[in-house]
Amino acid sequence: MLNRNEICWCGSGLKYKKCHMDFDEKLRELEIAGNIVPDKFIIKTPKEVEMIKKSAVVNTGILDHVSENIKAGMSTADIDKLVYDYTIEHDAIPATLDYEGYPKSCCTSINNEVCHGIPSEDIILKEGDIVNVDVSTIKEGYFSDASRMFIIGETSEEAQKLVDITKECLEKGIEQVKPWGHIGDIGAAIYEHATSNGYSVVTMFGGHGIGNEFHEEPFVSHVGRKDTGMVMVPGMVFTIEPMINIGKPQVYVDKKNGWTSYTRDGSLSAQWEHQLLVTEDGYEIISH
């Protein structure tokens, strides 16, 4: 434990008593009361936040670039090339490329694909498709991550509503992000909004801490219970990325490629993902 007059652990240059001493004491009190509290590794220093935001600027720029170019008739491999080229041109690295054997620079998940769809020259976007493009970026050693849904041309009312409600689920979850709240508050809000609209929430996957590494604690469930899970504190960075199905929540993973997840009942699925920083008075969306 630091002496009150020593320099604070966060890298601010301030004395501990002027910086994180009260903060650490509050965490200790919460832990003694039975709460799950974050360790120092996942509480980002001001310098780390600055670097993560630099990565996030590139990541958001990639999705903007995809938005400007995605269209019917192009292959998902074409999307992957857009992502790769933009990333390299901005002195960054696609985080998914070669990650645990993943072969591409982004994920492209279409219609009943829940997540981790692998781009291919053989998969051609067509009118009415709904597609999630998920991009993750390493810039100067720091990680960012976000995804968007794209509707190719005109789609069905059913698909359009799913995409819209899924984005609302994300927004409902984000509204719960505040210092000293609980991670479970996020999932509780998402689950309530999804099910009240007749949809189901995928439980196999969730959001995650990110910044110094691609995947950190905490796991952000999209079906949480209020006042449960890790306490959120200023300096935490994580994603919220609900995957919402028209049908049942069960999914399966393609045995051939080991990555792509599908709805078990063949129903449509949608996902939106933002990366957030917990601040002193709420949150900041840093990639979207």
XYZ file of all heavy atoms in Angstrom, residues 54-131:
590
model
N -6.465 6.696 -29.179
C -5.813 6.806 -30.484
C -6.143 5.600 -31.347
O -6.421 5.739 -32.549
C -4.296 6.923 -30.308
C -3.817 8.271 -29.846
C -2.304 8.326 -29.733
C -1.603 8.245 -31.071
N -0.131 8.421 -30.949
N -6.121 4.436 -30.739
C -6.515 3.218 -31.455
C -7.975 3.288 -31.865
O -8.340 2.928 -32.997
C -6.269 2.002 -30.553
O -6.689 0.811 -31.168
N -8.822 3.780 -30.967
C -10.263 3.829 -31.223
C -10.615 4.789 -32.365
O -11.584 4.564 -33.091
C -10.999 4.238 -29.947
N -9.845 5.852 -32.520
C -10.079 6.776 -33.641
C -9.916 6.037 -34.967
O -10.726 6.188 -35.894
C -9.120 7.982 -33.562
C -9.131 8.770 -34.874
C -9.503 8.901 -32.410
N -8.876 5.221 -35.073
C -8.675 4.431 -36.292
C -9.815 3.433 -36.459
O -10.363 3.267 -37.555
C -7.320 3.698 -36.255
C -7.155 2.823 -37.504
C -6.171 4.687 -36.148
N -10.193 2.782 -35.374
C -11.234 1.759 -35.442
C -12.557 2.331 -35.938
O -13.225 1.746 -36.806
C -11.421 1.138 -34.054
C -12.018 -0.244 -34.103
O -11.373 -1.191 -34.540
N -13.253 -0.380 -33.655
N -12.944 3.489 -35.408
C -14.181 4.133 -35.865
C -14.048 4.574 -37.318
O -14.999 4.453 -38.107
C -14.514 5.332 -34.967
O -14.721 4.866 -33.622
C -15.773 6.052 -35.441
N -12.865 5.043 -37.688
C -12.636 5.439 -39.078
C -12.798 4.279 -40.043
O -13.309 4.445 -41.161
N -12.388 3.100 -39.617
C -12.557 1.900 -40.455
C -14.039 1.656 -40.722
O -14.457 1.408 -41.869
C -11.938 0.666 -39.779
C -10.429 0.817 -39.651
C -12.272 -0.600 -40.563
C -9.787 -0.197 -38.711
N -14.857 1.702 -39.668
C -16.287 1.445 -39.841
C -16.950 2.536 -40.679
O -17.862 2.251 -41.465
C -16.962 1.325 -38.473
C -16.678 -0.007 -37.752
C -17.136 0.061 -36.304
C -17.344 -1.172 -38.471
N -16.496 3.763 -40.544
C -17.003 4.831 -41.418
C -16.653 4.525 -42.876
O -17.479 4.729 -43.786
C -16.397 6.182 -41.022
C -16.935 6.723 -39.706
O -18.000 6.262 -39.250
O -16.277 7.629 -39.140
N -15.442 4.050 -43.096
C -14.984 3.711 -44.449
C -15.820 2.575 -45.034
O -16.225 2.623 -46.206
C -13.507 3.313 -44.378
C -12.860 3.031 -45.695
N -12.869 3.918 -46.757
C -12.163 1.931 -46.128
C -12.219 3.396 -47.775
N -11.790 2.181 -47.426
N -16.094 1.561 -44.236
C -16.960 0.468 -44.685
C -18.342 0.996 -45.021
O -18.943 0.647 -46.057
C -17.042 -0.639 -43.618
C -18.105 -1.677 -43.993
C -15.689 -1.325 -43.447
N -18.878 1.858 -44.160
C -20.214 2.424 -44.370
C -20.326 3.149 -45.703
O -21.359 3.092 -46.376
C -20.538 3.388 -43.224
O -21.819 3.937 -43.370
N -19.257 3.805 -46.094
C -19.258 4.572 -47.343
C -19.170 3.677 -48.581
O -19.497 4.125 -49.686
C -18.076 5.549 -47.341
C -18.223 6.680 -46.321
C -16.901 7.394 -46.067
O -15.889 7.036 -46.720
O -16.887 8.304 -45.212
N -18.751 2.437 -48.417
C -18.457 1.592 -49.578
C -19.255 0.297 -49.677
O -19.301 -0.307 -50.748
C -16.961 1.242 -49.576
C -16.084 2.433 -49.887
O -15.894 2.785 -51.045
N -15.553 3.062 -48.845
N -19.878 -0.131 -48.607
C -20.565 -1.420 -48.623
C -21.790 -1.368 -49.533
O -22.523 -0.367 -49.547
C -20.945 -1.849 -47.185
C -21.330 -3.322 -47.146
C -22.011 -0.947 -46.590
C -21.434 -3.879 -45.731
N -22.005 -2.428 -50.319
C -23.121 -2.422 -51.264
C -23.375 -3.842 -51.766
O -22.532 -4.741 -51.632
C -22.809 -1.507 -52.456
C -21.587 -1.934 -53.245
C -21.241 -0.918 -54.328
C -19.971 -1.362 -55.070
N -19.575 -0.374 -56.104
N -24.534 -4.006 -52.344
C -24.878 -5.287 -52.954
C -23.903 -5.597 -54.090
O -23.454 -4.697 -54.809
C -26.302 -5.243 -53.491
N -23.569 -6.871 -54.229
C -22.692 -7.306 -55.311
C -21.246 -7.457 -54.908
O -20.465 -8.111 -55.618
N -20.856 -6.845 -53.794
C -19.481 -7.013 -53.342
C -19.384 -8.258 -52.460
O -20.379 -8.699 -51.872
C -18.982 -5.765 -52.599
C -19.576 -5.538 -51.231
S -19.125 -3.908 -50.512
C -17.351 -3.873 -50.676
N -18.217 -8.821 -52.408
C -18.021 -9.995 -51.559
C -17.615 -9.545 -50.155
O -17.155 -8.411 -49.956
C -16.943 -10.910 -52.141
O -15.664 -10.305 -52.024
N -17.752 -10.459 -49.194
C -17.290 -10.111 -47.854
C -15.762 -10.022 -47.813
O -15.200 -9.335 -46.954
C -17.811 -11.106 -46.805
O -17.498 -12.437 -47.209
C -19.310 -10.959 -46.632
N -15.085 -10.674 -48.761
C -13.636 -10.503 -48.887
C -13.299 -9.072 -49.302
O -12.262 -8.528 -48.895
C -13.071 -11.493 -49.908
N -14.172 -8.451 -50.103
C -13.976 -7.049 -50.471
C -14.048 -6.155 -49.229
O -13.289 -5.184 -49.097
C -15.038 -6.596 -51.480
C -14.918 -7.278 -52.831
O -13.788 -7.634 -53.214
O -15.955 -7.442 -53.502
N -14.969 -6.473 -48.332
C -15.066 -5.717 -47.081
C -13.782 -5.889 -46.285
O -13.224 -4.922 -45.744
C -16.273 -6.190 -46.247
C -17.579 -5.932 -46.994
C -16.292 -5.487 -44.890
C -18.795 -6.532 -46.311
N -13.303 -7.113 -46.209
C -12.066 -7.392 -45.477
C -10.892 -6.594 -46.032
O -10.053 -6.092 -45.268
C -11.769 -8.887 -45.535
C -10.644 -9.298 -44.610
O -10.849 -9.257 -43.383
O -9.554 -9.635 -45.112
N -10.847 -6.451 -47.344
C -9.760 -5.674 -47.960
C -9.883 -4.196 -47.600
O -8.877 -3.522 -47.339
C -9.764 -5.849 -49.475
C -8.552 -5.207 -50.162
C -8.510 -5.501 -51.647
C -7.199 -5.050 -52.275
N -6.849 -3.633 -52.007
N -11.119 -3.673 -47.577
C -11.325 -2.291 -47.151
C -10.776 -2.081 -45.744
O -10.100 -1.088 -45.468
C -12.817 -1.943 -47.163
C -13.533 -1.804 -48.498
C -15.033 -1.619 -48.264
C -12.979 -0.621 -49.290
N -11.086 -3.028 -44.874
C -10.649 -2.938 -43.483
C -9.127 -3.015 -43.381
O -8.492 -2.186 -42.724
C -11.305 -4.051 -42.639
C -10.693 -4.119 -41.240
C -12.803 -3.846 -42.551
N -8.546 -3.998 -44.051
C -7.098 -4.192 -43.976
C -6.348 -2.971 -44.518
O -5.427 -2.452 -43.873
C -6.687 -5.443 -44.752
C -5.195 -5.675 -44.740
C -4.585 -6.311 -43.657
C -4.387 -5.238 -45.795
C -3.201 -6.508 -43.624
C -3.012 -5.423 -45.769
C -2.431 -6.056 -44.684
O -1.065 -6.228 -44.659
N -6.751 -2.520 -45.696
C -6.033 -1.405 -46.326
C -6.113 -0.141 -45.475
O -5.109 0.559 -45.276
C -6.593 -1.131 -47.721
C -6.240 -2.222 -48.725
O -5.385 -3.075 -48.393
O -6.832 -2.233 -49.822
N -7.317 0.174 -44.972
C -7.481 1.385 -44.160
C -6.634 1.285 -42.889
O -5.967 2.255 -42.485
C -8.949 1.578 -43.788
C -9.238 2.879 -43.067
C -9.777 3.973 -43.760
C -8.982 3.021 -41.702
C -10.043 5.165 -43.103
C -9.239 4.220 -41.036
C -9.778 5.280 -41.744
O -10.032 6.474 -41.085
N -6.659 0.117 -42.263
C -5.904 -0.072 -41.019
C -4.412 0.139 -41.242
O -3.756 0.885 -40.491
C -6.150 -1.484 -40.452
O -7.553 -1.729 -40.328
C -5.515 -1.638 -39.079
N -3.871 -0.508 -42.259
C -2.434 -0.404 -42.541
C -2.058 1.022 -42.925
O -1.011 1.538 -42.513
C -2.024 -1.402 -43.644
C -2.297 -2.851 -43.202
C -0.558 -1.216 -44.024
C -1.626 -3.255 -41.911
N -2.924 1.665 -43.704
C -2.656 3.057 -44.107
C -2.598 4.002 -42.913
O -2.008 5.090 -43.000
C -3.733 3.527 -45.092
C -3.604 2.915 -46.479
C -4.860 3.113 -47.327
O -5.781 3.832 -46.873
O -4.914 2.540 -48.428
N -3.213 3.618 -41.812
C -3.211 4.459 -40.603
C -2.270 3.906 -39.534
O -2.459 4.140 -38.336
C -4.643 4.604 -40.079
C -5.498 5.467 -40.948
N -6.079 5.001 -42.115
C -5.856 6.771 -40.840
C -6.762 5.985 -42.682
N -6.633 7.062 -41.943
N -1.244 3.197 -40.011
C -0.164 2.700 -39.144
C -0.689 1.877 -37.969
O -0.242 2.030 -36.824
C 0.686 3.870 -38.619
C 1.353 4.640 -39.748
O 1.869 3.984 -40.672
O 1.341 5.882 -39.712
N -1.661 1.037 -38.255
C -2.251 0.170 -37.234
C -2.293 -1.264 -37.758
O -1.909 -1.547 -38.901
C -3.639 0.666 -36.867
N -2.769 -2.168 -36.913
C -2.811 -3.593 -37.235
C -4.216 -4.116 -36.952
O -4.785 -3.806 -35.904
C -1.807 -4.381 -36.359
C -0.382 -3.867 -36.562
C -1.892 -5.880 -36.646
C 0.590 -4.377 -35.522
N -4.805 -4.906 -37.864
C -6.088 -5.545 -37.556
C -5.908 -6.552 -36.415
O -5.115 -7.492 -36.536
C -6.472 -6.249 -38.859
C -5.612 -5.628 -39.923
C -4.349 -5.248 -39.226
N -6.629 -6.365 -35.313
C -6.411 -7.205 -34.132
C -6.849 -8.648 -34.354
O -6.314 -9.564 -33.721
C -7.138 -6.618 -32.932
N -7.816 -8.855 -35.243
C -8.307 -10.223 -35.456
C -7.379 -11.051 -36.345
O -7.419 -12.284 -36.285
C -9.704 -10.222 -36.105
O -9.640 -9.541 -37.367
C -10.737 -9.564 -35.200
N -6.569 -10.408 -37.170
C -5.762 -11.118 -38.147
C -4.738 -12.011 -37.436
O -3.856 -11.523 -36.722
C -5.052 -10.128 -39.074
C -4.294 -10.713 -40.261
C -5.218 -11.528 -41.165
C -3.599 -9.611 -41.060
N -4.898 -13.319 -37.611
C -4.052 -14.336 -36.978
C -4.277 -14.459 -35.472
O -3.497 -15.119 -34.777
C -2.557 -14.088 -37.258
C -2.231 -14.186 -38.745
O -2.850 -15.027 -39.431
O -1.381 -13.423 -39.227
N -5.329 -13.834 -34.964
C -5.645 -13.977 -33.538
C -6.200 -15.383 -33.280
O -7.252 -15.738 -33.793
C -6.662 -12.922 -33.112
C -7.158 -13.081 -31.682
C -6.351 -12.741 -30.607
C -8.429 -13.581 -31.422
C -6.793 -12.883 -29.300
C -8.891 -13.736 -30.114
C -8.060 -13.386 -29.062
O -8.509 -13.536 -27.765
N -5.457 -16.181 -32.542
C -5.837 -17.572 -32.255
C -6.206 -18.330 -33.528
O -7.095 -19.176 -33.539
C -6.977 -17.617 -31.237
C -6.571 -17.070 -29.873
C -7.637 -17.230 -28.816
O -8.771 -17.652 -29.157
O -7.350 -16.936 -27.644
N -5.528 -17.982 -34.618
C -5.745 -18.663 -35.889
C -6.816 -18.058 -36.782
O -7.045 -18.567 -37.894
N -7.465 -16.965 -36.334
C -8.488 -16.352 -37.189
C -7.804 -15.775 -38.436
O -6.802 -15.061 -38.328
C -9.239 -15.261 -36.423
C -10.425 -14.719 -37.191
C -11.629 -15.406 -37.213
C -10.320 -13.543 -37.924
C -12.707 -14.926 -37.941
C -11.393 -13.053 -38.651
C -12.585 -13.745 -38.655
O -13.655 -13.273 -39.378
N -8.349 -16.041 -39.633
C -7.586 -15.759 -40.847
C -7.792 -14.389 -41.494
O -7.136 -14.087 -42.489
C -8.093 -16.853 -41.800
C -9.528 -17.050 -41.407
C -9.544 -16.879 -39.912
N -8.686 -13.556 -40.974
C -9.028 -12.326 -41.672
C -8.924 -11.091 -40.762
O -8.702 -11.206 -39.564
C -10.436 -12.430 -42.262
C -10.598 -13.524 -43.315
C -9.787 -13.227 -44.578
C -9.996 -14.305 -45.635
N -9.267 -13.993 -46.891
N -9.143 -9.918 -41.376
C -8.961 -8.641 -40.673
C -10.224 -8.108 -40.029
O -10.184 -7.074 -39.355
C -8.415 -7.593 -41.654
O -7.167 -7.997 -42.163
N -11.358 -8.778 -40.229
C -12.615 -8.374 -39.605
C -13.546 -9.580 -39.605
O -13.219 -10.641 -40.161
C -13.260 -7.205 -40.352
S -13.804 -7.587 -42.035
N -14.695 -9.417 -38.988
C -15.742 -10.436 -39.030
C -16.938 -9.870 -39.787
O -17.320 -8.715 -39.566
C -16.175 -10.844 -37.627
S -14.859 -11.527 -36.606
N -17.523 -10.681 -40.666
C -18.694 -10.262 -41.437
C -19.779 -11.311 -41.257
O -19.674 -12.409 -41.800
C -18.327 -10.116 -42.926
O -17.669 -11.319 -43.379
C -17.393 -8.930 -43.154
N -20.792 -10.983 -40.471
C -21.822 -11.963 -40.099
C -23.158 -11.563 -40.714
O -23.685 -10.491 -40.423
C -21.920 -12.035 -38.575
O -20.644 -12.316 -38.021
N -23.698 -12.446 -41.559
C -24.864 -12.122 -42.377
C -26.096 -12.905 -41.934
O -26.037 -14.117 -41.721
C -24.575 -12.426 -43.866
C -23.344 -11.638 -44.342
C -25.768 -12.099 -44.740
C -22.908 -11.994 -45.748
N -27.217 -12.207 -41.800
C -28.547 -12.796 -41.585
C -28.614 -13.693 -40.346
O -28.749 -13.191 -39.236
C -29.018 -13.510 -42.852
C -29.154 -12.552 -44.027
O -29.425 -11.366 -43.843
N -28.973 -13.031 -45.234
N -28.514 -15.000 -40.495
C -28.612 -15.900 -39.331
C -27.252 -16.211 -38.708
O -27.155 -17.042 -37.811
C -29.314 -17.207 -39.712
C -28.489 -18.037 -40.679
O -27.815 -17.504 -41.556
N -28.540 -19.356 -40.529
N -26.202 -15.555 -39.190
C -24.891 -15.682 -38.549
C -24.859 -14.716 -37.365
O -25.104 -13.519 -37.520
C -23.774 -15.360 -39.538
C -23.682 -16.372 -40.670
C -22.645 -16.003 -41.713
O -22.204 -14.841 -41.749
O -22.287 -16.885 -42.507
N -24.550 -15.250 -36.199
C -24.586 -14.441 -34.982
C -23.325 -13.598 -34.844
O -23.380 -12.406 -34.528
C -24.769 -15.354 -33.750
C -24.716 -14.555 -32.455
C -26.079 -16.120 -33.854
N -22.173 -14.199 -35.060
C -20.904 -13.472 -34.963
C -19.785 -14.312 -35.569
O -19.961 -15.487 -35.867
C -20.564 -13.128 -33.505
S -20.353 -14.549 -32.417
N -18.631 -13.661 -35.777
C -17.399 -14.319 -36.234
C -17.511 -14.927 -37.624
O -16.828 -15.908 -37.941
C -16.940 -15.379 -35.230
C -16.729 -14.844 -33.851
N -16.845 -15.630 -32.718
C -16.433 -13.594 -33.415
C -16.628 -14.886 -31.644
N -16.380 -13.640 -32.043
N -18.363 -14.342 -38.464
C -18.407 -14.759 -39.856
C -17.089 -14.421 -40.549
O -16.577 -13.297 -40.423
N -16.532 -15.371 -41.271
C -15.228 -15.189 -41.910
C -15.418 -14.660 -43.337
O -16.099 -15.288 -44.151
C -14.449 -16.510 -41.945
C -14.213 -17.030 -40.527
C -13.113 -16.320 -42.668
C -13.519 -18.378 -40.472
N -14.820 -13.510 -43.664
C -14.932 -12.979 -45.020
C -14.450 -13.976 -46.079
O -13.487 -14.715 -45.849
C -14.040 -11.735 -44.987
C -14.056 -11.306 -43.552
C -14.082 -12.597 -42.776
N -15.145 -13.965 -47.229
C -14.825 -14.916 -48.292
C -15.173 -14.312 -49.650
O -16.159 -13.578 -49.775
C -15.614 -16.211 -48.083
O -15.563 -17.044 -49.229
N -14.386 -14.650 -50.653
C -14.697 -14.230 -52.021
C -15.979 -14.882 -52.518
O -16.609 -14.399 -53.459
C -13.531 -14.590 -52.948
C -12.260 -13.802 -52.673
C -11.122 -14.196 -53.604
O -11.324 -15.131 -54.417
O -10.036 -13.587 -53.510
N -16.384 -15.981 -51.897
C -17.560 -16.730 -52.345
C -18.869 -16.215 -51.734
O -19.948 -16.652 -52.138
C -17.401 -18.207 -51.983
C -16.208 -18.844 -52.672
O -15.898 -18.444 -53.815
O -15.576 -19.724 -52.056
N -18.773 -15.321 -50.762
C -19.985 -14.791 -50.118
C -20.259 -13.399 -50.670
O -19.503 -12.450 -50.416
C -19.826 -14.744 -48.588
C -19.534 -16.145 -48.038
C -21.091 -14.167 -47.939
C -19.203 -16.170 -46.566
N -21.329 -13.290 -51.424
C -21.665 -12.038 -52.109
C -22.876 -11.389 -51.423
O -23.907 -12.040 -51.201
C -22.000 -12.292 -53.599
C -20.865 -13.093 -54.272
C -22.253 -10.970 -54.314
C -19.512 -12.411 -54.254
N -22.749 -10.119 -51.086
C -23.862 -9.401 -50.474
C -24.975 -9.195 -51.487
O -24.718 -8.830 -52.647
C -23.395 -8.040 -49.945
C -22.311 -8.054 -48.862
C -21.982 -6.631 -48.440
C -22.741 -8.893 -47.667
N -26.212 -9.409 -51.028
C -27.346 -9.226 -51.928
C -28.409 -8.350 -51.267
O -28.427 -8.160 -50.047
C -27.934 -10.577 -52.323
C -28.511 -11.395 -51.178
C -29.021 -12.738 -51.686
C -29.702 -13.528 -50.570
N -28.823 -13.811 -49.431
N -29.280 -7.819 -52.102
C -30.378 -6.962 -51.648
C -31.153 -7.641 -50.520
O -31.536 -8.808 -50.619
C -31.322 -6.683 -52.821
C -32.469 -5.735 -52.522
C -32.102 -4.282 -52.731
O -30.969 -4.012 -53.192
O -32.949 -3.410 -52.455
N -31.339 -6.919 -49.442
C -32.117 -7.421 -48.317
C -31.305 -8.034 -47.192
O -31.823 -8.272 -46.100
N -30.011 -8.303 -47.456
C -29.164 -8.860 -46.396
C -28.995 -7.857 -45.255
O -28.933 -6.641 -45.481
C -27.769 -9.205 -46.936
C -27.731 -10.488 -47.733
O -28.646 -11.319 -47.584
O -26.762 -10.675 -48.517
N -28.876 -8.392 -44.034
C -28.389 -7.584 -42.928
C -27.047 -8.177 -42.523
O -26.882 -9.394 -42.442
C -29.371 -7.546 -41.740
C -29.659 -8.941 -41.171
C -30.664 -6.855 -42.152
C -30.474 -8.926 -39.883
N -26.051 -7.318 -42.338
C -24.698 -7.803 -42.094
C -24.034 -6.993 -40.986
O -24.107 -5.766 -40.966
C -23.849 -7.777 -43.390
C -23.846 -6.400 -44.028
C -22.420 -8.246 -43.127
